[in-house]
Amino acid sequence: MRKLLLTTVVFGLVVAGRVPPAHADIGLGLFLGEPTGFDLKVGLGHRSGLDILFGFTTFRDNRNGYGHVTYLVTPLIAQGDAVTVPIRIGLGALLFGPGDDLSFGVRAPFELGLRMRSAPIEFYGELALALLFIDPENDFRADLQGGLGFRLYF
């Protein structure tokens, strides 16, 4: 009886002390368009994440350096047999320009993804409205950003 009680207590402590594994939703990929760059998406919760991109503003003109950080929320996820289709909206900040003359802006993206169920990959398209503060007088202009990308999830 003592052995049974001791075994039950030890088993109970092991099961109770076990922490469930965290769901690491980290995606690394490439985004092509305006801007173009390497993309990192970090899942913060069940339907939210942080999107970080480093690259260039465009391949057309002078290719200024570019980076943005955007908080994304997923209000809707359509379910299919082979894919899920997350619809995301967000709000973030961006920096761009040559190294000695950086400009700041804010962005509000709309993103439509196609995430495979059988493989850890997602294809997505994004359109974003950006308000760009160009010169020191804080004059700003609106810009439309967009492109296609993919992410591999770990």
Side-chain angles (χ1 to χ4, degrees):
M1 186 66 158
R2 263 181 137 173
K3 286 184 182 181
L4 179 61
L5 181 61
L6 182 60
T7 304
T8 304
V9 169
V10 169
F11 181 76
L13 289 174
V14 167
V15 169
R18 213 176 68 168
V19 177
H23 176 65
D25 192 18
I26 298 175
L28 184 61
L30 187 65
F31 186 76
L32 300 173
E34 289 191 20
T36 294
F38 294 104
D39 184 39
L40 173 68
K41 181 176 176 287
V42 179
L44 299 176
H46 179 63
R47 290 191 175 221
S48 64
L50 199 61
D51 181 46
I52 304 167
L53 185 131
F54 292 105
F56 301 100
T57 53
T58 180
F59 275 114
R60 284 183 295 174
D61 301 323
N62 54 2
R63 290 194 204 176
N64 288 327
Y66 177 91
H68 75 233
V69 176
T70 305
Y71 178 72
L72 294 172
V73 176
T74 308
L76 180 64
I77 300 175
Q79 305 287 335
D81 291 337
V83 298
T84 60
V85 181
I87 297 173
R88 300 181 181 108
I89 55 174
L91 186 63
L94 60 93
L95 284 174
F96 66 97
D100 58 343
D101 187 25
L102 288 178
S103 296
F104 172 77
V106 294
R107 65 189 311 267
F110 172 80
E111 186 176 295
L112 181 66
L114 194 64
R115 192 161 180 182
M116 305 298 154
R117 289 185 184 267
S118 61
I121 189 166
E122 177 183 43
F123 300 97
Y124 67 100
E126 181 181 275
L127 285 176
L129 177 63
L131 296 177
L132 308 174
F133 300 98
I134 301 299
D135 49 16
E137 290 83 32
N138 287 333
D139 292 339
F140 68 90
R141 67 179 172 96
D143 190 24
L144 188 63
Q145 299 176 333
L148 300 172
F150 74 92
R151 296 181 185 114
L152 297 173
Y153 283 90
F154 302 97

